[in-house]
Amino acid sequence: MEADTVKLAPSILAADFARLGEQVAEAEQAGADRIHIDVMDGHFVPRLSMGAPIVQSLRRVTRLRLEIHMMILNPDSFLEEFVEAGSDSFLVHWEGNNNLHRTVRRIKELGKYAGVAVNPATPAAVLEEMLPELDQVLVMTVNPGFGHQQFLHSTLPKIERVRQMVERLDGCCEVGVDGGINQETARLASAAGAGVLVAGSSIFGDNLGVATAMGGLRASIARHKSNLLA
Ligand code: DX5
Ligand code: ZN
């Protein structure tokens, strides 16, 4: 994907929660496309993280799309609560959901964007029938549940495969990646076909600040592109 078309989705899991509003505002000013909110229930993944009250608070400080990554059992039971809090978009996992089609339909009925996330061990092929219904596929580039993990390079061919599947359907939906994204892996993932990069620690954990970190990610993708053209 071209540097200027790659979208950045800062994940607040790595933010300083004492300064959350400020950091999200900084990300918005620096051109973030959306804010990624990781919801964990201690069952689907080992950790607990945050719930709808955070969405409600953030709704007051940003106009950006609030994207909810549901790492929870029974996401259907929580959709309405998150919609009422101000969520715009949901990423639900293929894993552990026996009725994924129903979940996606429900999200659409609520008038929100629907995406499906796939873990590193899950093949791209499971997405085939669902793709025409989706707004986004999220290829997990780490095993979900924790920030600050190392990008799994074995997911790169899957990003390419998902991109090809999406192109066969005339670019039906976005291809996102989540986990271990830094300047180096942003370049690799976007070259493989990712158009949305979720990044937590490399944006909110950068000592030079959110805007500089986002600029660094964009620059590394752009450098790659200009090297290819040279
Ligand atoms: C991991 C989460 C990610 C996480 C990414 O389960 O889905 O969104 O915040 O964090 P980094 O960018 O630090 O790997
Ligand atoms: Zn996430």
Side-chain angles (χ1 to χ4, degrees):
M1 298 294 290
E2 313 240 354
D4 51 1
T5 59
V6 171
K7 295 170 178 163
L8 295 181
S11 161
I12 61 164
L13 193 63
D16 174 355
F17 275 63
R19 298 174 46 233
L20 187 56
E22 207 179 297
Q23 291 204 316
V24 165
E26 214 179 321
E28 181 165 8
Q29 270 181 357
D33 183 75
R34 64 196 68 175
I35 298 296
H36 183 92
I37 300 174
D38 289 302
V39 176
M40 306 180 184
D41 66 353
H43 297 283
F44 184 80
V45 290
R47 288 277 172 88
L48 287 170
S49 62
M50 57 197 113
I54 295 275
V55 176
Q56 203 173 2
S57 298
L58 288 182
R59 188 68 292 163
R60 292 198 290 269
V61 300
T62 182
R63 278 187 300 220
L64 291 180
R65 185 194 295 193
L66 297 177
E67 166 179 275
I68 318 300
H69 181 184
M70 305 286 259
M71 286 169 275
I72 62 175
L73 299 178
N74 301 320
D76 301 44
S77 328
F78 294 89
L79 292 174
E80 281 177 29
E81 182 186 345
F82 274 93
V83 167
E84 276 163 28
S87 309
D88 301 295
S89 150
F90 292 93
L91 296 161
V92 290
H93 273 261
W94 179 85
E95 297 81 11
N97 191 332
N98 292 331
N99 296 292
L100 186 62
H101 188 268
R102 184 162 64 203
T103 307
V104 167
R105 278 281 162 90
R106 185 73 194 119
I107 295 168
K108 295 295 210 171
E109 280 164 15
L110 290 164
K112 304 300 166 189
Y113 296 104
V116 168
V118 283
N119 282 347
T122 303
V126 302
L127 297 164
E128 197 161 357
E129 279 71 21
M130 286 298 297
L131 265 190
E133 311 248 357
L134 302 182
D135 299 300
Q136 191 187 163
V137 170
L138 187 71
V139 177
M140 292 305 300
T141 41
V142 298
N143 287 296
F146 307 92
H148 303 269
Q149 297 184 81
Q150 292 279 324
F151 182 91
L152 296 169
H153 287 75
S154 57
T155 59
L156 285 169
K158 181 158 63 180
I159 301 168
E160 283 173 18
R161 273 197 293 279
V162 172
R163 168 56 58 195
Q164 285 160 9
M165 289 163 76
V166 165
E167 293 308 325
R168 280 201 293 275
L169 291 172
D170 294 328
C172 58
C173 66
E174 295 179 318
V175 180
V177 289
D178 184 6
I181 296 296
N182 54 31
Q183 290 191 14
E184 168 67 10
T185 57
R187 188 174 63 70
L188 297 172
S190 66
V196 183
L197 308 179
V198 176
S201 45
S202 69
I203 291 182
F204 291 110
D206 191 314
N207 292 335
L208 297 174
V210 169
T212 307
M214 287 173 56
L217 286 172
R218 287 212 182 84
S220 87
I221 302 165
R223 266 199 307 279
H224 170 69
K225 192 72 197 169
S226 61
N227 286 346
L228 284 182
L229 292 173

